[in-house]
């Protein structure tokens, strides 16, 4: 999973730059809408919504935009008639890499056409539902920064019901748990004075494809970048591993 985690780190660094762009604002607003729709429209009792709001505020989204998104999710906003639905798409990239795409759209035909074009132009194929999802398990992940004592992190993680953790660099860890336990793990780590910078749901591959060919690497990363650039796409996950030096050059 080291290669995948390295890619996750690069994506987070890229997200800091992208945070000023309109697409990221749209993604975060849509995440709030879906979270409010899937649970109660009150962040105090809806962990998914609370997390989405925290991310939106960190990116500088104004409070009125956040409140509007919550109202849309709750069905109390009358400003427009558009209705978003969450859809998961699946496909293969260069080198046989399995790719999962999570999208929020008000027009599934448009979204599917955009995704199909992105795959075909970058050496991949958009597949049928179920063609690659069996290779992934969804987990809750807490990103912990400023880790000084790995033993204490291990103790706190076990107390919070974590399944495993991985140090992605000298002082940053990703702590994994079952989806239903994410809120409990997040709270436990914070109570133990760990700096949890993000808590998210992530698809984790059960096996990885090694990509060490330069051209395949270039095509694959271009495909992922193109998919992430689409307005309707919220998240892209792939099951590849790549030598760190190659990944850094390509990023």
């Amino acid at each position: 999973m080291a290669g995948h985690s390295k890619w996750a780190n690069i994506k987070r660094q890229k997200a800091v730059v992208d945070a000023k762009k309109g697409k990221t604002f749209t993604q975060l607003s849509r995440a709030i809408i879906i979270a409010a729709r899937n649970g109660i429209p009150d962040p105090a009792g809806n962990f998914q919504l609370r997390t989405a709001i925290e991310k939106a505020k960190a990116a500088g989204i104004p409070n009125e935009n956040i409140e509007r998104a919550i109202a849309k999710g709750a069905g109390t906003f009358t400003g427009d008639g558009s209705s978003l639905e969450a859809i998961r798409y699946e496909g293969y990239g260069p080198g046989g890499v399995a790719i999962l795409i999570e999208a929020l759209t008000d027009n599934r035909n448009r979204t599917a056409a955009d995704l199909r074009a992105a795959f075909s132009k970058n050496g991949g194929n958009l597949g049928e539902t179920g063609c690659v999802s069996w290779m992934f398990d969804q987990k809750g992940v807490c990103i912990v920064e400023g880790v000084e004592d790995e033993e204490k992190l291990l103790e706190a993680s076990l107390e919070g019901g974590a399944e495993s953790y991985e140090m992605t660099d000298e002082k940053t860890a990703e702590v994994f748990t079952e989806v239903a336990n994410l809120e409990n793990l997040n709270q436990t780590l914070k109570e133990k004075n760990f700096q949890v910078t993000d808590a998210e749901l992530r698809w984790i591959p059960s096996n990885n494809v090694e990509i060490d060919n330069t051209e395949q690497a270039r095509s694959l990363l271009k495909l992922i970048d193109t998919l992430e650039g689409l307005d309707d796409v919220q998240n892209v996950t792939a099951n590849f591993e790549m030598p760190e030096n190659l990944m850094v050059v390509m990023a």
Side-chain angles (χ1 to χ4, degrees):
M1 198 154 57
H4 185 76
S5 293
K6 178 65 180 178
W7 176 243
N9 289 343
I10 291 173
K11 285 176 67 177
R12 276 195 292 277
Q13 294 164 10
K14 181 173 175 288
V16 173
V17 177
D18 288 347
K20 295 183 175 63
K21 299 180 181 179
K23 172 173 164 49
T24 300
F25 274 35
T26 300
Q27 283 182 322
L28 293 171
S29 295
R30 287 182 173 186
I32 292 172
I33 293 170
I34 292 298
R37 182 184 300 166
N38 289 345
I40 62 173
D42 179 3
N46 184 333
F47 177 68
Q48 182 186 359
L49 177 59
R50 187 162 69 248
T51 302
I53 291 172
E54 289 173 358
K55 291 181 181 179
K57 288 183 175 179
I61 295 182
N63 286 335
E64 56 266 31
N65 293 39
I66 293 173
E67 292 169 2
R68 186 182 307 120
I70 294 173
K72 285 183 178 181
T76 58
F77 183 76
T78 57
D80 62 49
S82 62
S83 177
L84 293 170
E85 61 176 326
I87 309 176
R88 191 174 72 226
Y89 296 89
E90 307 176 29
Y92 287 96
V97 170
I99 300 177
L100 283 181
I101 304 108
E102 292 171 294
L104 291 174
T105 180
D106 58 1
N107 185 330
R108 59 166 60 203
N109 291 331
R110 178 196 66 225
T111 303
D114 289 345
L115 290 172
R116 192 170 290 109
F119 272 97
S120 64
K121 290 178 182 178
N122 294 284
N125 297 99
L126 183 64
E128 299 294 328
T129 299
C131 69
V132 303
S133 57
W134 58 273
M135 302 184 206
F136 297 81
D137 294 310
Q138 194 174 40
K139 299 292 181 183
V141 186
C142 286
I143 314 300
V144 184
E145 295 185 356
V147 178
E148 300 290 345
D149 189 328
E150 194 173 334
E151 190 67 30
K152 288 184 178 178
L153 174 64
L154 174 59
E155 292 175 3
S157 298
L158 290 173
E159 185 175 330
E163 296 181 334
S164 63
Y165 77 93
E166 178 181 349
M167 299 300 298
T168 57
D169 61 36
E170 188 176 343
K171 292 189 176 183
T172 303
E174 294 183 338
V175 187
F176 299 87
T177 189
E178 290 293 333
V179 170
N181 188 57
L182 180 58
E183 181 174 7
N184 176 61
L185 176 62
N186 179 63
Q187 183 176 339
T188 301
L189 290 172
K190 288 182 176 179
E191 288 174 352
K192 298 297 182 180
N193 298 316
F194 283 98
Q195 182 186 351
V196 181
T197 58
D198 199 0
E200 63 184 13
L201 299 181
R202 189 188 302 172
W203 290 97
I204 306 297
S206 56
N207 59 76
N208 290 293
V209 175
E210 181 71 27
I211 299 293
D212 53 16
N213 177 279
T214 302
E215 287 306 313
Q216 280 190 344
R218 182 176 287 110
S219 296
L220 175 61
L221 296 184
K222 184 180 178 184
L223 170 58
I224 292 174
D225 197 49
T226 300
L227 292 171
E228 290 182 331
L230 297 175
D231 288 341
D232 296 333
V233 171
Q234 290 291 106
N235 190 48
V236 179
T237 306
N239 73 333
F240 69 93
E241 285 190 348
M242 192 179 292
E244 187 170 322
N245 60 333
L246 184 59
M247 192 176 289
V248 170
V249 170
M250 293 298 171

